[in-house]
Amino acid sequence: MLVCGRRLLTALLQAQRWTFQPSRDMRLVQFQAPHLTGPHVGLESGNGEGVMNLSAVDPTPPKTVLEFLEQGEAAVSVARRALTAQLPVLPQSEVTILAPVTQPDRVVCVGMNYMDHCRQQNVPVPKEPIIFSKFSEPGESLSEVDWEVELAVIIGKKGKHIKATDTMAHVAGFTVAHDVSACDWQMTCNGKQWLLGKTFDTFFPRALIPEWCFYISDPPNLKICCHGNGEVVQSSSTNQMVFKTEELIAWVSRFVTVCPGDIILTGTPAGVGVFRKPPLFLKVGWLKEGRHLGHREGL
């Protein structure tokens, strides 16, 4: 669970100096409903009444959060009109909230990026970010599975060779994610390369509703914790990061162009099961999905 307020839109807005500032009681969400075809983008009321569909004010609105980010000001204009149009609300019981980016093109991960996680393993703190990748698919898996709660960054603006001082202009928001890991495959199989151990189907759950960056003033100082089987198994702060969010985005953009919808996992703190004595691994039902970054039940 990452602890921060119930808030809405995006650093994308702030970086472009757009005047759109939605109510903190409304959230930009991606959802689906039985009477609609495919995913839609809407504004969810903070009081839980339901969701306003952006297509009610525009016949060709962005259908996904990724399209919203790619369209920039044009999409923000649609959201602005929706806020002032007093649209009818789809009841919460009739909609299913989806992950903000359902099929990201890239999931970039950072290993050994918390000082307390390095101390737990008794290994040196890295001098440069350790980068690997992860896939995002549903399915089932069986292995020595461990938990790793992480702060995830959602990219909102394309960039390459981004300066650390400019990186937040390329961030749409944050969410909480879970870098589920098959420790046997990560540490003893496949030449000890991490990819297979990190990327089984189902190994990338994340919160359904992100905290858009516009209202997060201090990403380097957020509480981050993981609950497993009703107990706190990880509890730390992002101030334990070896490389902060800005440094990571700048580093990754040296090698690849970051694009809207890309997700960067920023590392996990101490408390993972594999380094406990004796080791402890996940069991069915231990972790439960939550909808909000600030109200994550089970992680």
Side-chain angles (χ1 to χ4, degrees):
M1 179 177 71
L2 298 175
V3 178
C4 46
R6 290 189 171 192
R7 298 154 181 161
L8 181 62
L9 259 184
T10 153
L12 185 63
L13 311 177
Q14 189 177 45
Q16 298 296 333
R17 292 183 171 84
W18 292 335
T19 58
F20 177 56
Q21 296 187 21
S23 163
R24 296 190 181 193
D25 292 328
M26 302 294 295
R27 292 172 176 269
L28 183 74
V29 296
Q30 184 168 276
F31 72 97
Q32 62 185 20
H35 66 285
L36 299 174
T37 302
H40 281 64
V41 175
L43 296 173
E44 183 193 50
S45 63
N47 59 16
E49 289 182 355
V51 175
M52 293 189 300
N53 191 351
L54 295 190
S55 63
V57 295
D58 190 301
T60 58
K63 294 291 187 181
T64 65
V65 167
L66 177 57
E67 289 182 8
F68 187 99
L69 298 176
E70 290 173 337
Q71 291 181 18
E73 173 60 32
V76 170
S77 177
V78 174
R80 186 186 296 119
R81 284 180 306 180
L83 278 176
T84 59
Q86 295 185 339
L87 296 176
V89 173
L90 297 173
Q92 199 75 51
S93 60
E94 296 181 8
V95 301
T96 300
I97 303 297
L98 306 174
V101 182
T102 49
Q103 290 185 309
D105 285 341
R106 273 186 290 260
V107 180
V108 179
C109 306
V110 184
M112 313 290 293
N113 196 39
Y114 275 73
M115 290 181 284
D116 55 3
H117 185 47
C118 293
R119 288 194 297 269
Q120 184 188 16
Q121 303 176 60
N122 194 29
V123 296
V125 172
K127 295 182 179 180
E128 292 180 339
I130 299 174
I131 303 297
F132 61 97
S133 61
K134 192 176 186 75
F135 303 149
S136 177
E137 288 292 337
E140 297 182 359
S141 59
L142 294 172
S143 196
E144 293 180 357
V145 180
D146 205 351
W147 55 81
E148 294 189 18
V149 66
E150 308 204 9
L151 174 67
V153 181
I154 303 173
I155 298 297
K157 180 181 177 182
K158 186 176 182 179
K160 181 75 181 290
H161 298 298
I162 305 169
K163 296 180 181 178
T165 54
D166 298 332
T167 54
M168 295 309 291
H170 295 263
V171 175
F174 300 90
T175 191
V176 62
H178 195 53
D179 180 19
V180 182
S181 303
C183 297
D184 47 354
W185 278 93
Q186 179 185 350
M187 299 179 179
T188 62
C189 305
N190 196 43
K192 298 184 180 181
Q193 298 221 10
W194 291 8
L195 179 63
L196 290 183
K198 294 285 190 176
T199 203
F200 281 49
D201 288 351
T202 73
F203 272 22
F204 186 42
R206 57 266 194 204
L208 300 183
I209 302 180
E211 291 294 336
W212 299 107
C213 190
F214 190 75
Y215 286 123
I216 292 189
S217 60
D218 195 14
N221 194 31
L222 297 172
K223 182 178 180 181
I224 180 168
C225 60
C226 175
H227 292 250
N229 198 28
E231 299 181 1
V232 176
V233 292
Q234 287 180 279
S235 182
S236 187
S237 169
T238 55
N239 63 23
Q240 287 286 306
M241 282 185 181
V242 179
F243 304 101
K244 306 305 181 186
T245 301
E246 295 86 348
E247 297 173 89
L248 294 175
I249 297 170
W251 177 263
V252 171
S253 75
R254 288 177 55 184
F255 308 98
V256 297
T257 301
V258 296
C259 298
D262 288 351
I263 295 177
I264 299 177
L265 301 188
T266 57
T268 196
V272 297
V274 68
F275 297 117
R276 293 172 178 246
K277 299 185 185 302
L280 181 65
F281 297 109
L282 283 174
K283 294 180 175 60
V284 175
W286 272 26
L287 299 178
K288 298 178 182 179
E289 284 293 326
R291 295 177 69 250
H292 298 272
L293 185 151
H295 292 269
R296 178 81 162 159
E297 298 180 359
L299 274 186

